[in-house]
Amino acid sequence: MDLLEIQNRLGENIKRVRKSKKLTQFELAEKANVSEDTIKSLEQGRTWCSDRTLSQITEALEIDVVKLFMPIGTSFNHLKENTEQLKSAIADNIREYINGILKDFE
C-alpha cells in the first residue's frame, strides 16, 4: 500500500463518516475549524493534511483517528500485508506527531 492509497482511504473514510453523521462538508469544516476546501480536497484524495487538521477533523467527527485509516467493508484478516503497511504508516505518523509535541517542551 503506497501513500496515495492511504490518502485515498483517508478521504473515503472522512466522507463516509461525515455522511453517516448527516453532516455537509461545510458543517464538518465549521465544526472542525478548517476550511470547506480542506474537507473537499481531503475527501477527493487530492491533498494530505497536517496532524493538527487531522486531529480537529477526528474530534469534530467524534471518532478515533485510526478509524479513518481502516479498510472499508473488508476484514484485516484478508489484508494481512496491507494491514502491516497501514499499521506502520499510522505508527510513523503518530511517532512524528509525538516527537513534534515533545520538541515544544524542550
Side-chain angles (χ1 to χ4, degrees), residues 1-10 45-48:
M1 174 172 277
D2 65 15
L3 217 52
L4 184 58
E5 290 172 315
I6 294 171
Q7 186 173 320
N8 286 330
R9 179 175 292 165
L10 172 65
R46 292 186 313 199
T47 189
W48 192 254

Side-chain angles (χ1 to χ4, degrees), residues 1-37:
M1 174 172 277
D2 65 15
L3 217 52
L4 184 58
E5 290 172 315
I6 294 171
Q7 186 173 320
N8 286 330
R9 179 175 292 165
L10 172 65
E12 290 170 3
N13 283 330
I14 289 172
K15 184 176 185 175
R16 181 182 51 78
V17 174
R18 174 182 62 78
K19 286 185 171 193
S20 76
K21 296 193 177 267
K22 299 183 182 354
L23 294 170
T24 65
Q25 289 177 330
F26 177 78
E27 289 168 332
L28 176 56
E30 287 280 305
K31 196 171 181 183
N33 197 30
V34 298
S35 73
E36 185 177 5
D37 284 339

Side-chain angles (χ1 to χ4, degrees), residues 1-103:
M1 174 172 277
D2 65 15
L3 217 52
L4 184 58
E5 290 172 315
I6 294 171
Q7 186 173 320
N8 286 330
R9 179 175 292 165
L10 172 65
E12 290 170 3
N13 283 330
I14 289 172
K15 184 176 185 175
R16 181 182 51 78
V17 174
R18 174 182 62 78
K19 286 185 171 193
S20 76
K21 296 193 177 267
K22 299 183 182 354
L23 294 170
T24 65
Q25 289 177 330
F26 177 78
E27 289 168 332
L28 176 56
E30 287 280 305
K31 196 171 181 183
N33 197 30
V34 298
S35 73
E36 185 177 5
D37 284 339
T38 296
I39 300 298
K40 286 179 182 179
S41 292
L42 286 169
E43 286 187 1
Q44 294 173 357
R46 292 186 313 199
T47 189
W48 192 254
C49 65
S50 70
D51 295 335
R52 181 175 182 219
T53 299
L54 189 57
S55 175
Q56 289 170 266
I57 291 169
T58 56
E59 284 180 32
L61 291 172
E62 299 172 343
I63 60 167
D64 189 272
V65 67
V66 174
K67 292 190 179 200
L68 292 180
F69 294 96
M70 300 291 251
I72 300 169
T74 57
S75 167
F76 273 118
N77 295 331
H78 295 84
L79 300 170
K80 190 163 190 127
E81 181 181 327
N82 288 344
T83 301
E84 293 307 315
Q85 292 174 349
L86 178 60
K87 285 180 182 177
S88 177
I90 291 170
D92 289 344
N93 197 5
I94 291 170
R95 201 172 293 112
E96 287 178 29
Y97 178 72
I98 290 171
N99 286 338
I101 291 172
L102 291 174
K103 285 181 183 179

